[in-house]
Structures are given as structure tokens and as C-alpha cells.
Coordinates of all heavy atoms in Angstrom, one line a residue:
M8 N 7.8 5.9 153.6 CA 7.2 7.1 153.1 C 5.7 6.8 153.0 O 5.3 5.8 152.5 CB 7.8 7.3 151.7 CG 7.0 8.6 151.0 SD 7.7 9.0 149.4 CE 9.3 9.4 149.8
V9 N 4.9 7.7 153.5 CA 3.5 7.6 153.5 C 2.9 8.7 152.8 O 3.2 9.9 153.0 CB 2.9 7.5 155.0 CG1 1.4 7.4 154.9 CG2 3.5 6.3 155.8
F10 N 1.9 8.5 151.9 CA 1.2 9.5 151.1 C -0.3 9.4 151.5 O -0.8 8.4 151.8 CB 1.2 9.3 149.6 CG 2.7 9.5 149.1 CD1 3.4 8.4 148.7 CD2 3.1 10.8 148.8 CE1 4.7 8.6 148.2 CE2 4.3 11.0 148.3 CZ 5.2 9.9 148.0
F11 N -1.0 10.6 151.6 CA -2.4 10.6 151.9 C -3.1 11.4 150.8 O -2.6 12.3 150.2 CB -2.6 11.4 153.2 CG -2.2 10.7 154.5 CD1 -1.0 11.0 155.0 CD2 -3.1 9.9 155.0 CE1 -0.6 10.4 156.1 CE2 -2.6 9.3 156.2 CZ -1.4 9.5 156.7
V12 N -4.3 10.8 150.4 CA -5.2 11.5 149.5 C -6.2 12.1 150.4 O -6.9 11.5 151.2 CB -5.9 10.5 148.6 CG1 -6.9 11.2 147.7 CG2 -4.8 9.8 147.7
T13 N -6.5 13.4 150.2 CA -7.4 14.2 151.1 C -8.8 14.3 150.5 O -9.7 14.6 151.2 CB -6.8 15.6 151.4 OG1 -6.7 16.3 150.1 CG2 -5.5 15.5 152.1
E14 N -9.0 14.0 149.2 CA -10.4 14.0 148.7 C -10.9 12.6 148.8 O -10.4 11.6 148.9 CB -10.3 14.4 147.2 CG -9.7 15.8 147.0 CD -9.7 16.1 145.5 OE1 -10.2 15.4 144.7 OE2 -9.0 17.2 145.2
A15 N -12.3 12.6 148.9 CA -13.0 11.3 149.0 C -12.9 10.4 147.8 O -12.9 11.0 146.7 CB -14.4 11.5 149.4
P16 N -12.6 9.2 147.8 CA -12.4 8.4 149.0 C -10.9 8.6 149.4 O -10.1 8.6 148.6 CB -12.7 7.0 148.6 CG -12.4 6.9 147.2 CD -12.8 8.3 146.6
C17 N -10.8 8.7 150.7 CA -9.4 8.9 151.2 C -8.7 7.6 151.4 O -9.2 6.6 152.0 CB -9.5 9.7 152.6 SG -8.0 9.9 153.4
T18 N -7.5 7.5 150.9 CA -6.7 6.3 151.0 C -5.3 6.7 151.6 O -4.9 7.8 151.4 CB -6.5 5.5 149.8 OG1 -5.9 6.3 148.8 CG2 -7.9 4.9 149.3
K19 N -4.7 5.7 152.2 CA -3.3 5.9 152.7 C -2.4 4.8 152.1 O -2.9 3.6 152.2 CB -3.2 5.8 154.2 CG -1.8 6.0 154.7 CD -1.8 6.1 156.2 CE -1.6 4.7 156.8 NZ -1.4 4.7 158.2
K20 N -1.3 5.1 151.5 CA -0.5 4.1 150.8 C 0.8 4.2 151.6 O 1.5 5.2 151.6 CB -0.2 4.4 149.3 CG -1.4 4.1 148.5 CD -1.1 4.1 147.0 CE -2.3 3.8 146.1 NZ -1.9 3.8 144.6
T21 N 1.3 3.1 152.1 CA 2.6 2.9 152.8 C 3.4 2.0 151.9 O 3.0 0.8 151.6 CB 2.4 2.4 154.2 OG1 1.5 3.2 154.9 CG2 3.6 2.2 154.9
F22 N 4.6 2.5 151.6 CA 5.4 1.7 150.8 C 6.3 0.8 151.7 O 7.0 1.3 152.5 CB 6.3 2.6 149.9 CG 5.5 3.2 148.8 CD1 4.9 4.5 149.1 CD2 5.2 2.6 147.6 CE1 4.1 5.1 148.1 CE2 4.5 3.2 146.6 CZ 3.9 4.5 146.9
V23 N 6.3 -0.5 151.5 CA 7.0 -1.4 152.4 C 8.5 -1.5 151.9 O 8.9 -1.0 150.8 CB 6.4 -2.7 152.6 CG1 5.0 -2.7 153.1 CG2 6.4 -3.5 151.1
E24 N 9.3 -2.2 152.7 CA 10.7 -2.4 152.3 C 10.9 -3.0 150.9 O 10.1 -3.9 150.6 CB 11.5 -3.2 153.4 CG 11.6 -2.4 154.7 CD 12.6 -1.3 154.5 OE1 13.6 -1.4 153.9 OE2 12.1 -0.2 155.0
P25 N 11.8 -2.6 150.1 CA 12.0 -3.2 148.8 C 12.6 -4.6 148.9 O 13.3 -4.9 149.9 CB 13.1 -2.2 148.1 CG 13.8 -1.6 149.3 CD 12.8 -1.6 150.4
V26 N 12.3 -5.4 147.9 CA 12.9 -6.8 147.8 C 13.7 -6.7 146.5 O 13.4 -6.6 145.3 CB 11.8 -7.8 147.6 CG1 12.4 -9.1 147.4 CG2 10.7 -7.7 148.8
P27 N 15.1 -6.6 146.8 CA 16.1 -6.6 145.5 C 16.0 -7.9 144.8 O 15.8 -9.0 145.4 CB 17.4 -6.3 146.2 CG 17.3 -6.7 147.7 CD 15.8 -6.6 148.0
N28 N 16.4 -7.7 143.5 CA 16.5 -8.9 142.6 C 15.3 -9.7 142.4 O 15.4 -11.0 142.1 CB 17.7 -9.9 143.2 CG 18.9 -9.2 143.3 OD1 19.5 -8.3 142.5 ND2 19.6 -9.4 144.4
K29 N 14.1 -9.0 142.6 CA 12.9 -9.7 142.3 C 11.9 -8.7 141.5 O 12.1 -7.6 141.5 CB 12.1 -10.0 143.6 CG 12.8 -11.0 144.4 CD 12.4 -12.4 143.8 CE 12.8 -13.5 144.8 NZ 12.4 -14.9 144.3
A30 N 10.9 -9.3 140.8 CA 10.0 -8.5 140.1 C 8.7 -9.3 140.0 O 8.7 -10.6 140.0 CB 10.5 -8.3 138.7
L31 N 7.5 -8.6 140.0 CA 6.3 -9.2 139.8 C 5.9 -9.1 138.3 O 5.8 -8.0 137.8 CB 5.3 -8.6 140.7 CG 3.8 -9.1 140.6 CD1 3.8 -10.6 141.2 CD2 2.8 -8.3 141.4
V32 N 5.6 -10.2 137.6 CA 5.3 -10.2 136.2 C 3.8 -10.5 136.0 O 3.2 -11.0 137.0 CB 6.2 -11.1 135.4 CG1 7.6 -10.6 135.5 CG2 6.1 -12.5 135.8
N33 N 3.3 -10.2 134.8 CA 2.0 -10.5 134.4 C 0.9 -9.7 135.1 O -0.3 -10.0 135.0 CB 1.6 -12.0 134.6 CG 2.6 -12.9 133.7 OD1 2.9 -12.5 132.6 ND2 2.9 -14.0 134.2
H34 N 1.2 -8.6 135.8 CA 0.2 -7.8 136.4 C 0.5 -6.3 136.2 O 0.0 -5.4 136.8 CB 0.2 -8.0 137.9 CG -0.2 -9.3 138.4 ND1 -1.6 -9.6 138.4 CD2 0.4 -10.5 138.7 CE1 -1.7 -10.9 138.8 NE2 -0.5 -11.4 138.9
V35 N 1.4 -5.9 135.3 CA 1.9 -4.6 134.9 C 0.7 -3.9 134.2 O 0.2 -4.3 133.3 CB 3.2 -4.6 134.1 CG1 3.5 -3.2 133.7 CG2 4.3 -5.3 134.9
I36 N 0.4 -2.7 134.8 CA -0.7 -1.9 134.2 C -0.2 -0.6 133.6 O -0.8 0.0 132.8 CB -1.7 -1.5 135.3 CG1 -1.1 -0.9 136.5 CG2 -2.6 -2.8 135.6 CD1 -2.1 -0.3 137.5
S37 N 1.1 -0.3 133.8 CA 1.7 0.9 133.3 C 3.2 0.7 133.5 O 3.6 0.2 134.4 CB 1.2 2.1 134.0 OG 1.8 3.3 133.5
N38 N 4.0 1.3 132.6 CA 5.5 1.3 132.7 C 6.1 2.6 132.3 O 6.9 2.6 131.3 CB 6.1 0.0 132.0 CG 5.7 0.0 130.6 OD1 4.9 0.8 130.1 ND2 6.4 -0.9 129.9
P39 N 5.9 3.6 133.0 CA 6.5 4.9 132.7 C 8.0 4.9 132.8 O 8.6 4.1 133.7 CB 5.9 5.8 133.7 CG 5.6 5.1 134.8 CD 5.1 3.7 134.3
T40 N 8.8 5.7 132.1 CA 10.1 6.0 132.4 C 10.3 7.0 133.3 O 9.6 8.1 133.3 CB 10.8 6.5 131.0 OG1 10.7 5.4 130.0 CG2 12.2 6.8 131.2
V41 N 11.2 6.8 134.3 CA 11.3 7.8 135.5 C 12.8 8.0 135.8 O 13.7 7.2 135.3 CB 10.6 7.3 136.8 CG1 9.1 7.1 136.6 CG2 11.3 5.8 137.2
A42 N 13.1 9.2 136.4 CA 14.4 9.5 136.7 C 15.0 8.8 137.9 O 16.2 8.6 138.1 CB 14.5 11.0 136.9
S43 N 14.1 8.4 138.9 CA 14.5 7.9 140.2 C 13.4 7.0 140.8 O 12.2 7.1 140.3 CB 14.8 9.0 141.1 OG 13.6 9.7 141.5
E44 N 13.7 6.2 141.9 CA 12.7 5.4 142.4 C 11.6 6.3 143.1 O 10.5 5.9 143.2 CB 13.3 4.5 143.4 CG 12.3 3.5 144.0 CD 12.7 2.6 145.1 OE1 13.8 2.6 145.5 OE2 11.9 1.9 145.6
E45 N 12.1 7.5 143.7 CA 11.1 8.4 144.4 C 10.0 8.7 143.4 O 8.8 8.8 143.7 CB 11.8 9.6 144.9 CG 12.7 9.3 146.1 CD 12.0 8.8 147.2 OE1 10.9 9.2 147.6 OE2 12.5 7.7 147.7
V46 N 10.4 9.0 142.1 CA 9.4 9.4 141.0 C 8.5 8.2 140.8 O 7.2 8.3 140.6 CB 10.0 10.0 139.8 CG1 9.0 10.2 138.7 CG2 10.8 11.1 140.1
C47 N 9.1 7.0 140.9 CA 8.2 5.7 140.7 C 7.2 5.6 141.8 O 6.1 5.3 141.6 CB 9.2 4.5 140.6 SG 8.5 2.9 140.2
K48 N 7.7 5.9 143.0 CA 6.6 5.9 144.2 C 5.6 6.9 143.9 O 4.4 6.5 144.2 CB 7.4 6.2 145.5 CG 8.2 5.2 146.1 CD 8.8 5.7 147.4 CE 9.8 4.8 147.9 NZ 10.5 5.2 149.1
I49 N 5.8 8.1 143.5 CA 4.8 9.0 143.3 C 3.9 8.5 142.0 O 2.7 8.7 142.2 CB 5.5 10.4 142.8 CG1 6.2 10.9 144.0 CG2 4.4 11.3 142.2 CD1 7.1 12.1 143.7
Q50 N 4.4 8.0 141.1 CA 3.5 7.4 140.0 C 2.6 6.3 140.5 O 1.4 6.2 140.2 CB 4.5 6.8 138.9 CG 5.2 7.8 138.1 CD 4.4 8.6 137.2 OE1 3.4 8.2 136.6 NE2 4.6 10.0 137.2
C51 N 3.1 5.4 141.5 CA 2.3 4.4 142.1 C 1.2 5.0 142.9 O 0.1 4.6 143.0 CB 3.2 3.4 142.8 SG 2.2 2.0 143.5
F52 N 1.6 6.1 143.6 CA 0.7 6.8 144.5 C -0.5 7.4 143.6 O -1.8 7.2 144.0 CB 1.3 7.9 145.3 CG 0.3 8.7 146.1 CD1 -0.3 8.1 147.3 CD2 0.0 9.9 145.7 CE1 -1.2 8.8 148.0 CE2 -0.9 10.7 146.4 CZ -1.5 10.1 147.5
I53 N -0.2 7.9 142.6 CA -1.2 8.6 141.7 C -2.2 7.6 141.1 O -3.4 7.8 141.0 CB -0.5 9.5 140.6 CG1 0.2 10.7 141.2 CG2 -1.4 10.0 139.5 CD1 1.2 11.4 140.3
E54 N -1.6 6.5 140.7 CA -2.4 5.4 140.0 C -3.2 4.7 141.1 O -2.7 4.0 142.0 CB -1.5 4.4 139.3 CG -2.2 3.2 138.7 CD -3.3 3.5 137.8 OE1 -3.2 4.3 136.9 OE2 -4.5 3.1 138.1
A55 N -4.6 4.9 141.1 CA -5.4 4.4 142.1 C -5.3 2.9 142.3 O -5.4 2.4 143.4 CB -6.9 4.8 141.9
T56 N -5.1 2.1 141.2 CA -5.1 0.7 141.3 C -3.8 0.1 141.5 O -3.5 -1.1 141.5 CB -5.7 0.0 140.0 OG1 -4.9 0.5 138.9 CG2 -7.2 0.4 139.9
C57 N -2.6 0.9 141.7 CA -1.3 0.4 141.9 C -1.2 -0.2 143.4 O -1.4 0.4 144.4 CB -0.3 1.5 141.8 SG 1.4 1.0 142.0
E58 N -0.8 -1.5 143.3 CA -0.5 -2.2 144.6 C 0.9 -2.6 144.8 O 1.3 -3.0 145.9 CB -1.3 -3.5 144.7 CG -2.8 -3.2 144.7 CD -3.7 -4.5 144.8 OE1 -3.2 -5.5 145.4 OE2 -4.9 -4.4 144.5
S59 N 1.8 -2.4 143.7 CA 3.2 -2.7 143.9 C 3.9 -2.1 142.6 O 3.2 -1.7 141.7 CB 3.5 -4.1 144.1 OG 3.1 -4.9 142.9
Y60 N 5.2 -2.1 142.7 CA 6.0 -1.7 141.5 C 7.3 -2.5 141.4 O 7.8 -2.8 142.4 CB 6.1 -0.2 141.3 CG 6.9 0.4 142.4 CD1 8.4 0.4 142.3 CD2 6.4 1.1 143.5 CE1 9.1 1.1 143.2 CE2 7.2 1.7 144.5 CZ 8.6 1.7 144.3 OH 9.3 2.4 145.3
N61 N 7.8 -2.6 140.2 CA 9.1 -3.1 139.9 C 9.9 -1.9 139.4 O 9.4 -1.1 138.6 CB 9.2 -4.1 138.8 CG 8.2 -5.3 139.1 OD1 8.2 -5.8 140.2 ND2 7.5 -5.7 138.1
F62 N 11.1 -1.7 139.8 CA 11.9 -0.5 139.5 C 13.3 -1.1 139.0 O 13.9 -1.9 139.7 CB 12.2 0.4 140.7 CG 13.1 1.5 140.4 CD1 12.6 2.6 139.6 CD2 14.4 1.6 140.7 CE1 13.4 3.7 139.3 CE2 15.2 2.6 140.5 CZ 14.8 3.7 139.7
G63 N 13.7 -0.7 137.8 CA 14.9 -1.2 137.2 C 15.4 -0.3 136.1 O 14.8 0.7 135.7
P64 N 16.6 -0.7 135.5 CA 17.2 0.1 134.4 C 16.5 -0.1 133.2 O 15.9 -1.1 132.9 CB 18.6 -0.4 134.3 CG 18.4 -1.9 134.8 CD 17.4 -1.8 135.8
K65 N 16.6 1.0 132.3 CA 16.0 0.9 130.9 C 17.1 0.6 130.0 O 18.2 1.2 130.2 CB 15.2 2.2 130.7 CG 14.1 2.0 129.9 CD 13.2 3.3 129.6 CE 12.4 2.9 128.4 NZ 11.5 3.8 127.9
E66 N 16.9 0.0 128.9 CA 18.1 -0.3 128.0 C 18.7 0.9 127.4 O 19.9 1.0 127.2 CB 17.6 -1.3 127.0 CG 17.4 -2.8 127.4 CD 17.0 -3.6 126.4 OE1 17.2 -3.4 125.2 OE2 16.4 -4.7 126.7
D67 N 17.8 1.9 127.1 CA 18.3 3.1 126.5 C 18.6 4.3 127.4 O 18.6 5.4 127.0 CB 17.3 3.5 125.4 CG 15.9 3.8 125.9 OD1 15.7 3.4 127.1 OD2 15.1 4.3 125.1
G68 N 18.7 3.9 128.7 CA 19.0 4.9 129.7 C 17.8 5.2 130.6 O 16.7 4.9 130.2
G69 N 18.0 5.8 131.7 CA 16.9 6.0 132.7 C 16.5 4.9 133.3 O 17.3 3.8 133.4
H70 N 15.3 4.9 133.9 CA 14.7 3.8 134.6 C 13.4 3.5 134.3 O 12.6 4.4 133.8 CB 14.7 4.1 136.2 CG 16.2 4.2 136.7 ND1 16.7 5.5 136.7 CD2 17.0 3.3 137.1 CE1 18.0 5.3 137.2 NE2 18.3 4.0 137.5
V71 N 12.9 2.2 134.4 CA 11.6 1.9 134.2 C 10.9 1.6 135.5 O 11.5 1.1 136.4 CB 11.4 0.7 133.2 CG1 12.0 -0.6 133.8 CG2 10.0 0.4 132.8
C72 N 9.6 2.1 135.5 CA 8.8 1.9 136.8 C 7.6 1.1 136.3 O 6.6 1.6 135.7 CB 8.4 3.2 137.3 SG 7.2 3.2 138.7
E73 N 7.6 -0.2 136.7 CA 6.5 -1.1 136.3 C 5.4 -1.1 137.3 O 5.6 -1.8 138.4 CB 7.0 -2.5 135.9 CG 7.9 -2.5 134.8 CD 8.5 -3.9 134.5 OE1 8.5 -4.8 135.4 OE2 9.0 -4.1 133.3
L74 N 4.3 -0.4 137.1 CA 3.2 -0.4 138.2 C 2.3 -1.6 137.9 O 2.0 -2.0 136.8 CB 2.4 0.9 138.0 CG 3.1 2.2 137.9 CD1 2.1 3.3 137.8 CD2 3.9 2.4 139.2
S75 N 2.0 -2.2 139.1 CA 1.2 -3.5 139.1 C -0.1 -3.3 139.8 O -0.1 -2.7 140.9 CB 2.0 -4.7 139.7 OG 3.2 -4.9 138.8
N76 N -1.2 -4.0 139.4 CA -2.4 -4.0 140.1 C -2.5 -5.2 141.0 O -3.7 -5.6 141.4 CB -3.5 -3.9 139.1 CG -3.7 -5.2 138.2 OD1 -2.7 -6.0 138.2 ND2 -4.6 -5.2 137.4
S77 N -1.5 -5.8 141.4 CA -1.4 -6.9 142.3 C -0.2 -6.8 143.2 O 0.6 -5.8 143.0 CB -1.4 -8.3 141.6 OG -1.5 -9.3 142.5
D78 N -0.1 -7.7 144.2 CA 1.2 -7.8 145.0 C 1.7 -9.1 144.9 O 1.2 -10.1 144.4 CB 0.9 -7.3 146.4 CG 0.0 -8.2 147.2 OD1 -0.2 -9.3 146.8 OD2 -0.6 -7.7 148.2
R79 N 2.9 -9.3 145.5 CA 3.6 -10.6 145.4 C 2.9 -11.7 146.1 O 3.1 -12.9 145.9 CB 5.0 -10.5 146.0 CG 5.1 -10.2 147.5 CD 6.5 -10.1 147.9 NE 6.5 -9.6 149.3 CZ 7.6 -9.8 150.0 NH1 8.7 -10.5 149.6 NH2 7.6 -9.4 151.3
F80 N 2.1 -11.4 147.1 CA 1.3 -12.5 147.9 C 0.1 -13.0 147.0 O -0.1 -14.3 147.0 CB 0.9 -11.9 149.2 CG 2.0 -11.4 150.0 CD1 2.2 -10.1 150.3 CD2 2.9 -12.3 150.6 CE1 3.2 -9.6 151.0 CE2 3.9 -11.9 151.3 CZ 4.1 -10.5 151.5
V81 N -0.6 -12.1 146.3 CA -1.7 -12.6 145.5 C -1.1 -13.2 144.2 O -1.6 -14.3 143.7 CB -2.6 -11.4 145.0 CG1 -3.7 -11.8 144.1 CG2 -3.2 -10.8 146.3
G82 N -0.1 -12.7 143.7 CA 0.5 -13.2 142.5 C 1.8 -14.0 142.7 O 2.8 -13.8 141.9
L83 N 1.9 -14.8 143.8 CA 3.1 -15.5 144.2 C 3.7 -16.2 143.1 O 5.0 -16.2 142.9 CB 2.8 -16.3 145.4 CG 4.1 -16.9 146.1 CD1 4.9 -15.8 146.6 CD2 3.6 -17.7 147.2
K84 N 3.1 -16.8 142.2 CA 3.7 -17.7 141.1 C 4.3 -16.7 140.0 O 5.1 -17.1 139.3 CB 2.6 -18.6 140.5 CG 1.5 -17.9 139.7 CD 0.6 -18.9 139.1 CE -0.5 -18.2 138.3 NZ -1.5 -19.0 137.7
N85 N 3.9 -15.5 140.1 CA 4.5 -14.5 139.2 C 5.6 -13.6 139.7 O 6.0 -12.7 139.2 CB 3.3 -13.6 138.6 CG 2.3 -14.3 137.8 OD1 2.7 -15.0 136.9 ND2 1.0 -14.1 138.2
F86 N 6.0 -14.0 141.0 CA 7.1 -13.3 141.7 C 8.3 -14.0 141.3 O 8.7 -14.9 141.9 CB 6.8 -13.3 143.2 CG 7.6 -12.3 144.0 CD1 7.7 -10.9 143.6 CD2 8.3 -12.8 145.1 CE1 8.5 -10.1 144.4 CE2 9.1 -12.0 145.8 CZ 9.2 -10.6 145.5
T87 N 9.1 -13.3 140.4 CA 10.2 -14.0 139.7 C 11.5 -13.3 140.1 O 11.6 -12.2 140.6 CB 10.1 -14.0 138.3 OG1 10.1 -12.6 137.8 CG2 8.9 -14.6 137.8
E88 N 12.6 -14.0 139.9 CA 13.9 -13.6 140.3 C 14.4 -12.7 139.0 O 14.2 -13.1 137.9 CB 14.9 -14.6 140.4 CG 16.3 -14.2 140.8 CD 17.1 -15.4 141.3 OE1 16.6 -16.3 141.9 OE2 18.4 -15.3 141.1
D89 N 14.9 -11.5 139.3 CA 15.3 -10.5 138.2 C 16.4 -9.7 138.8 O 16.1 -8.8 139.7 CB 14.3 -9.7 137.6 CG 14.6 -8.9 136.4 OD1 15.9 -8.5 136.4 OD2 13.8 -8.8 135.5
H90 N 17.7 -9.9 138.5 CA 18.8 -9.3 139.2 C 18.9 -7.8 138.8 O 19.8 -7.1 139.4 CB 20.1 -10.1 138.9 CG 20.1 -11.4 139.5 ND1 20.2 -11.6 140.8 CD2 20.0 -12.7 139.0 CE1 20.2 -12.8 141.1 NE2 20.0 -13.5 140.0
E91 N 18.1 -7.3 137.8 CA 18.3 -5.9 137.5 C 17.1 -5.1 138.1 O 17.2 -3.8 138.1 CB 18.1 -5.7 136.0 CG 19.4 -6.4 135.3 CD 19.4 -6.0 133.8 OE1 18.3 -5.4 133.3 OE2 20.4 -6.3 133.2
F92 N 16.2 -5.7 138.8 CA 15.0 -5.0 139.4 C 15.0 -5.1 140.9 O 15.6 -6.0 141.5 CB 13.7 -5.5 138.7 CG 13.4 -4.9 137.4 CD1 14.0 -5.5 136.3 CD2 12.5 -3.9 137.2 CE1 13.7 -4.9 135.0 CE2 12.2 -3.4 136.0 CZ 12.8 -3.9 134.9
L93 N 14.2 -4.2 141.4 CA 13.8 -4.3 142.8 C 12.2 -4.3 142.8 O 11.7 -3.6 141.9 CB 14.4 -3.3 143.8 CG 14.0 -1.8 143.7 CD1 12.7 -1.6 144.5 CD2 15.1 -1.1 144.4
Y94 N 11.6 -4.9 143.7 CA 10.2 -4.9 143.9 C 9.8 -4.2 145.2 O 10.5 -4.4 146.2 CB 9.7 -6.4 143.9 CG 8.3 -6.6 144.4 CD1 7.2 -6.5 143.6 CD2 8.0 -6.7 145.8 CE1 5.9 -6.6 144.0 CE2 6.7 -6.8 146.2 CZ 5.7 -6.7 145.3 OH 4.4 -6.8 145.8
R95 N 8.8 -3.4 145.2 CA 8.2 -2.8 146.4 C 6.8 -2.9 146.4 O 6.1 -2.5 145.5 CB 8.8 -1.4 146.4 CG 8.4 -0.7 147.8 CD 8.9 0.7 147.9 NE 10.3 0.9 147.8 CZ 11.1 1.2 148.8 NH1 10.7 1.0 150.1 NH2 12.4 1.4 148.6
G96 N 6.2 -3.4 147.5 CA 4.8 -3.5 147.7 C 4.2 -2.3 148.3 O 5.0 -1.5 148.9
V97 N 3.0 -2.2 148.3 CA 2.2 -1.0 149.0 C 1.2 -1.6 149.8 O 0.4 -2.6 149.4 CB 1.6 -0.1 147.9 CG1 0.8 0.9 148.4 CG2 2.6 0.3 146.9
E98 N 1.1 -1.1 151.1 CA 0.0 -1.4 152.0 C -1.1 -0.2 151.8 O -0.7 1.0 152.0 CB 0.4 -1.5 153.4 CG 1.3 -2.6 153.7 CD 1.8 -2.7 155.0 OE1 1.5 -1.8 155.9 OE2 2.4 -3.6 155.4
V99 N -2.3 -0.5 151.3 CA -3.3 0.4 151.2 C -4.4 0.4 152.2 O -4.8 -0.6 152.5 CB -4.0 0.3 149.8 CG1 -5.1 1.3 149.6 CG2 -3.0 0.3 148.7
T100 N -4.6 1.5 152.8 CA -5.8 1.5 153.9 C -6.6 2.7 153.6 O -6.1 3.7 153.0 CB -5.1 1.6 155.3 OG1 -4.2 2.8 155.4 CG2 -4.4 0.4 155.8
W101 N -7.8 2.5 154.1 CA -8.8 3.6 153.8 C -8.8 4.5 155.1 O -8.7 4.0 156.2 CB -10.2 3.1 153.6 CG -10.3 2.3 152.4 CD1 -10.2 0.9 152.2 CD2 -10.4 2.9 151.1 NE1 -10.3 0.6 150.9 CE2 -10.4 1.7 150.2 CE3 -10.7 4.1 150.6 CZ2 -10.6 1.9 148.8 CZ3 -10.8 4.2 149.2 CH2 -10.8 3.1 148.4
C102 N -8.8 5.9 154.8 CA -8.9 6.8 156.0 C -10.2 6.7 156.7 O -11.2 6.5 156.0 CB -8.6 8.2 155.5 SG -7.0 8.4 154.6
V103 N -10.2 6.9 158.0 CA -11.5 6.9 158.8 C -11.8 8.2 159.2 O -11.0 9.0 159.7 CB -11.3 6.0 159.9 CG1 -12.6 6.0 160.7 CG2 -11.0 4.5 159.5
D104 N -13.0 8.8 158.9 CA -13.5 10.0 159.4 C -13.6 10.2 160.8 O -14.0 9.3 161.5 CB -14.7 10.5 158.7 CG -14.5 10.6 157.2 OD1 -13.4 10.9 156.7 OD2 -15.5 10.6 156.4

């Protein structure tokens, strides 16, 4: 799934394949409760500094979407095993006029 921002500055976010049973910790900037992973993707797209997210169950129902300002390659030591979550990175590119 690819999203485009049409106002300046224009960016393109491409969500890469998920990594099951993993989560990126210590870089979470927001953790909204969401109904689905699709809504989590939208939340990441809206948040300008989102570079990845963790998606998993919430103890009281629903799902948590942990938006991160880093990715697993920059924060490799913080890329941990978590059997309840999946991790999805984002490739961000700037649109060219």
C-alpha cells in the first residue's frame, strides 16, 4: 500500500512486508488504540515522523498501534522478539516535481 501527500513537502510512504513476532522498542512516539492494522497504517501515514509501527492486541480488547520514529535498522538493538506483535517498516521518499 502506498500513500501520497499532495501538499508541500510531498512525501511517499511505502509500507514494507510485516515481520511477525517482533517489535521495535524505545522509539515509540504514539500508541493509539485502533480497530485494525489498516487503521494503524493510516495513523503512521498521518504522523510525519513515523518510520515504522508495531501492531498487536490490547489487554482490554482492540489493538494497539505503536508508532515509532525509527526503524529496525537504525534501532537494531531495540528490535526484540514479541510473539503478540508484528512490526512493519516504512520506506519514505520525497516526491520530485
Side-chain angles (χ1 to χ4, degrees):
M8 178 181 295
V9 177
F10 292 101
F11 290 95
V12 175
T13 57
E14 296 177 12
C17 178
T18 59
K19 179 175 91 170
K20 289 187 175 183
T21 304
F22 294 90
V23 300
E24 289 296 314
V26 180
N28 303 317
K29 292 283 192 170
L31 182 66
V32 298
N33 299 324
H34 294 278
V35 175
I36 54 174
S37 177
N38 58 352
T40 299
V41 296
S43 68
E44 188 189 355
E45 290 302 311
V46 176
C47 188
K48 284 181 186 179
I49 293 167
Q50 292 291 319
C51 184
F52 175 73
I53 291 169
E54 173 55 55
T56 61
C57 181
E58 295 185 24
S59 66
Y60 65 81
N61 305 316
F62 176 78
K65 220 178 153 173
E66 289 182 19
D67 58 351
H70 296 91
V71 65
C72 174
E73 298 176 341
L74 306 180
S75 298
N76 63 357
S77 186
D78 64 22
R79 66 182 174 156
F80 301 107
V81 174
L83 192 55
K84 68 180 178 182
N85 295 311
F86 193 52
T87 63
E88 190 167 325
D89 189 325
H90 294 288
E91 294 188 353
F92 278 81
L93 71 78
Y94 165 88
R95 188 179 297 261
V97 178
E98 292 178 356
V99 179
T100 54
W101 296 96
C102 300
V103 178
D104 291 340

